[in-house]
Amino acid sequence: MLHQLYGWIQNIAVYLIVAAAVMHAIPGNDYGKYVGFFSGLVLILLLFTPVMKLSGMEETFRELYQNSQYELERQEIELVRERLEEADILEFLPEEYGGMDDGEAEEKNGSSIEVEEIRVGE
């Protein structure tokens, strides 16, 4: 029990140090409000972690977040893939992501690009 309490306090301390470093690294005051708001929300979650563990809500909360987050990411990836297919630019992607290898791309385009020499700074 004491080890868990020590770990909880250590997590909060590390988070506060990282949040302070991020706040100081942000240029200008425009984004400071948003970062402060977000870091405050995360701090609230860190503070309520022991209560959620005792009540059994932590696992339920984690499952809900992971399921919805996974579904949103999957939908976003499918949407991007459809847009790339519509724009017919998948040949630039590696083969394992649905693109074409060099031979297939050259056959489709009927040409290849060769670069002889590149000079920079002259």
Side-chain angles (χ1 to χ4, degrees):
M1 177 71 175
L2 194 57
H3 181 67
Q4 291 174 344
L5 180 64
Y6 176 73
W8 177 63
I9 293 172
Q10 186 178 13
N11 285 341
I12 292 173
V14 168
Y15 175 75
L16 289 174
I17 292 169
V18 170
V22 168
M23 288 295 290
H24 287 293
I26 295 175
N29 293 329
D30 296 335
Y31 296 109
K33 295 185 290 185
Y34 302 112
V35 172
F37 177 74
F38 178 75
S39 64
L41 290 176
V42 173
L43 182 62
I44 289 171
L45 285 175
L46 280 174
L47 290 173
F48 283 113
T49 300
V51 175
M52 290 178 9
K53 281 183 181 178
L54 290 175
S55 65
M57 287 176 45
E58 180 189 29
E59 191 63 35
T60 305
F61 181 72
R62 182 173 287 137
E63 286 176 4
L64 287 174
Y65 173 75
Q66 287 176 345
N67 288 338
S68 64
Q69 184 68 22
Y70 172 76
E71 185 62 30
L72 287 173
E73 288 179 10
R74 190 191 64 74
Q75 290 174 356
E76 184 178 343
I77 289 170
E78 287 297 320
L79 182 64
V80 169
R81 181 168 183 81
E82 289 173 8
R83 288 183 182 168
L84 288 175
E85 287 175 353
E86 288 173 6
D88 199 29
I89 58 174
L90 282 178
E91 67 259 8
F92 296 111
L93 292 175
E95 236 180 301
E96 63 260 13
Y97 296 114
M100 295 181 238
D101 66 358
D102 292 336
E104 289 175 329
E106 285 180 21
E107 286 176 17
K108 183 176 181 184
N109 295 332
S111 64
S112 63
I113 299 173
E114 294 182 18
V115 178
E116 291 183 19
E117 185 176 343
I118 298 176
R119 294 183 185 186
V120 179
E122 289 186 9

